[in-house]
Amino acid sequence: MRGYDISEHGILILYNRPKGPLESELGVLEEVESVSDSLRALGIGFEAVGVEGIEDSLRILKERPEKIVFNLVESFGRDNLGACLIPELCERTGKVCTGSPTPALIKTTDKVITKGILKANGIPTPNWQVLGPEGRLREDLEGKTLIIKPILSDGSEGIWADRCVIKPGEFEGPKSKALIHELMDSFPYGLMAEEFVGDSEVNIAVIEEGGRARTLGLAEIDFSLFPEGQPRIVDYLAKWDKSSFAYRNTPRVIPPRVSQNQREELSLMAIKLFYLFLCRDYIRVDTRIQGERFWVIDVNTNPDISPDAGFAATLSSSGWDFRDFIGKLAENASIRYANRHQIP
């Protein structure tokens, strides 16, 4: 199917300009660089523009002539929901962007909405509750190991393995209460307590080709070098702090060390979620694993695609060149632009 001629008209790379020194915010600059290098190698003209909020984004989208937008906007500081509006702004200014549309981004950015949809559709997900200011725990979660998470955050912000994983009986203790108050001050959309399940983590990458979603590959996070008692999670340090033990000792195992039946089950589930949340182009589904059981802990409709991130590693193991992946996203968007006025 013929799309809009991006080689002639070029692409606008839109990204959130970092507001501070946090590694999770600065990471978007690596994505911009890698996408720029790929488009340059493909012979596609582009302009990369950083934005600082919704009004700034709308102004840029109105001013710029490009009709295809490569959307790398992840957040505006702590405003994760605002970043979800970029696809809608593109549509209202006569443009089309890469990645999932606004409704899918909102439903997967808010972890409570995500988990509600998962539960309603019979997809295993750990038990959870929203934490109020009083921090009381529901009876069915008492006696469980818990992990405290911001309801809306990006890049594992606010998650530290040594503080956020709460052992049974410690939730009412002073350290847990101090953590909850600290996080509530930093994350205005609130917190949730989730049952901490599984002993390993498997990520499933999904890509859209020719209007159909397919599993790109599965990757397991290897926690085997973690000492006894250290929670086996990818927290903020493991994701961003290159000097930390967790960052240096969480390599990916591709393919994961699970049974063939479980690989197939996880793959089918990830594709189901792609359609359930009405996603586009690419997503990553994060799961916790215990034996043959799995639980979905995150549906990431805007995953990090920088060269050293998990999605890029899965691309490479599946025989995809990163440049070709970027070209496929641009092609998908150009086809959507060419067909934007067609009635389904």
Side-chain angles (χ1 to χ4, degrees), residues 74-141:
E74 299 175 345
S75 66
F76 297 122
R78 296 293 191 206
D79 182 12
N80 298 92
L81 282 181
C84 296
L85 298 177
I86 294 299
E88 179 68 19
L89 295 183
C90 287
E91 184 175 330
R92 294 193 177 205
T93 53
K95 304 180 191 299
V96 167
C97 71
T98 59
S100 289
T102 288
L105 290 172
I106 290 175
K107 287 184 287 186
T108 55
T109 297
D110 187 316
K111 293 181 175 63
V112 172
I113 296 177
T114 304
K115 291 174 74 66
I117 293 173
L118 293 172
K119 185 175 181 180
N121 286 273
I123 306 295
T125 189
N127 199 7
W128 82 98
Q129 76 165 72
V130 175
L131 291 176
E134 70 284 351
R136 290 196 185 93
L137 202 59
R138 225 174 39 224
E139 186 175 343
D140 60 313
L141 286 175

Side-chain angles (χ1 to χ4, degrees), residues 35-81:
V35 171
S36 298
D37 289 344
S38 296
L39 293 177
R40 191 177 293 113
L42 290 166
I44 299 173
F46 66 90
E47 186 74 27
V49 179
V51 291
E52 296 184 345
I54 292 298
E55 292 185 2
D56 191 32
S57 301
L58 182 58
R59 177 183 62 81
I60 293 296
L61 290 170
K62 286 180 176 179
E63 291 176 354
R64 297 296 308 186
E66 298 91 348
K67 300 301 182 183
I68 305 299
V69 177
F70 206 106
N71 183 18
L72 293 179
V73 177
E74 299 175 345
S75 66
F76 297 122
R78 296 293 191 206
D79 182 12
N80 298 92
L81 282 181

Side-chain angles (χ1 to χ4, degrees), residues 216-249:
L216 187 63
L218 291 76
E220 177 186 356
I221 306 299
D222 184 1
F223 297 106
S224 61
L225 294 178
F226 276 31
E228 186 71 26
Q230 181 170 346
R232 297 185 166 204
I233 64 170
V234 181
D235 65 354
Y236 188 86
L237 294 179
K239 190 165 287 187
W240 298 108
D241 187 350
K242 296 181 180 181
S243 67
S244 70
F245 173 89
Y247 184 96
R248 299 193 309 269
N249 292 281

Side-chain angles (χ1 to χ4, degrees), residues 158-328:
I159 299 177
W160 303 283
D162 61 340
R163 300 184 64 199
C164 292
V165 177
I166 311 298
K167 296 178 181 179
E170 294 183 354
F171 183 81
E172 299 295 336
K175 289 185 179 180
S176 297
K177 295 300 182 185
L179 170 69
I180 290 170
H181 286 299
E182 177 185 334
L183 291 177
M184 283 187 171
D185 287 341
S186 300
F187 296 91
Y189 292 105
L191 308 177
M192 63 186 291
E194 180 181 75
E195 185 177 354
F196 186 60
V197 298
D199 57 11
S200 65
E201 184 171 319
V202 171
N203 311 133
I204 307 102
V206 177
I207 190 170
E208 183 181 12
E209 289 187 279
R212 291 180 176 271
R214 71 174 184 87
T215 303
L216 187 63
L218 291 76
E220 177 186 356
I221 306 299
D222 184 1
F223 297 106
S224 61
L225 294 178
F226 276 31
E228 186 71 26
Q230 181 170 346
R232 297 185 166 204
I233 64 170
V234 181
D235 65 354
Y236 188 86
L237 294 179
K239 190 165 287 187
W240 298 108
D241 187 350
K242 296 181 180 181
S243 67
S244 70
F245 173 89
Y247 184 96
R248 299 193 309 269
N249 292 281
T250 46
R252 298 174 187 89
V253 178
I254 303 174
R257 296 165 295 189
V258 298
S259 68
Q260 183 62 34
N261 285 342
Q262 193 169 37
R263 287 185 204 174
E264 293 175 0
E265 184 180 17
L266 291 170
S267 295
L268 290 173
M269 175 273 300
I271 292 172
K272 177 180 178 178
L273 294 183
F274 185 94
Y275 291 114
L276 178 62
F277 286 92
L278 301 177
C279 303
R280 285 193 312 231
D281 287 346
Y282 64 106
I283 66 169
R284 192 191 72 230
V285 178
D286 299 339
T287 65
R288 297 286 296 179
I289 305 291
Q290 182 79 53
E292 289 297 309
R293 295 187 66 186
F294 74 85
W295 298 263
V296 175
I297 57 172
D298 194 18
V299 180
N300 196 330
T301 45
N302 192 13
D304 184 356
I305 58 170
S306 55
D308 61 347
F311 201 98
T314 308
L315 276 173
S316 178
S317 69
S318 302
W320 273 72
D321 183 83
F322 184 81
R323 177 184 62 188
D324 295 334
F325 167 65
I326 298 304
K328 173 57 65 176

